[in-house]
Amino acid sequence: MNVGDTLASLEIPVTRTLIVAGAIASRDYQDVHHDASLAREKGSPDIFMNILTTNGLVGRYITDRLGPGAVLRKVAIRLGAPNHPGDTMVLTGTVAAVDGNTVEIRVVGANGVGHHVIGTVIAEVAA
């Protein structure tokens, strides 16, 4: 693995079930993650994905691409455009640094509106 290498992309269909299940699994019971009418009252066109679900999807993306021996050491993300039901989020990654078995990967998750997530993941890979 070398600086500048890109990871194969991953398309994730954003379904209502994924949004609600992710919120429940992360114990985030904010109504905007499961009740469309309350989300609309608060100015959103529909329910939207919470940050913990996004964080988990970013981690999955990296471990899927680096293999079963990979260990996540740090995941730092920032959200942008919300993920609503019907969106498709495409995750991409670029190797930013390599130090021995440790790699730093810049990750972008984009949907039809723009960047849903940008961030950096530091992971150790099997030697």
Side-chain angles (χ1 to χ4, degrees):
M1 186 163 289
N2 299 300
V3 172
D5 286 353
T6 57
L7 307 181
S9 64
L10 173 65
E11 286 191 16
I12 299 174
V14 178
T15 65
R16 190 169 302 279
T17 300
L18 175 63
I19 293 169
V20 173
I24 291 170
S26 60
R27 301 174 132 194
D28 181 348
Y29 304 113
Q30 296 275 334
D31 50 25
V32 294
H33 303 308
H34 63 84
D35 188 320
S37 59
L38 289 176
R40 287 185 194 101
E41 284 180 17
K42 294 179 178 177
S44 178
D46 204 331
I47 63 172
F48 56 89
M49 183 176 287
N50 73 355
I51 191 169
L52 298 171
T53 302
T54 300
N55 199 58
L57 292 170
V58 167
R60 170 192 156 199
Y61 171 63
I62 296 300
T63 56
D64 282 358
R65 295 303 179 260
L66 297 183
V71 177
L72 300 178
R73 294 296 180 202
K74 181 178 179 182
V75 177
I77 62 170
R78 185 169 26 155
L79 295 183
N83 270 339
H84 294 110
D87 287 339
T88 298
M89 179 170 66
V90 179
L91 288 165
T92 57
T94 303
V95 177
V98 178
D99 183 13
N101 293 342
T102 302
V103 295
E104 178 181 318
I105 300 170
R106 295 214 171 99
V107 176
V108 174
N111 60 29
V113 178
H115 289 165
H116 169 69
V117 62
I118 58 172
T120 302
V121 176
I122 296 175
E124 289 183 17
V125 295

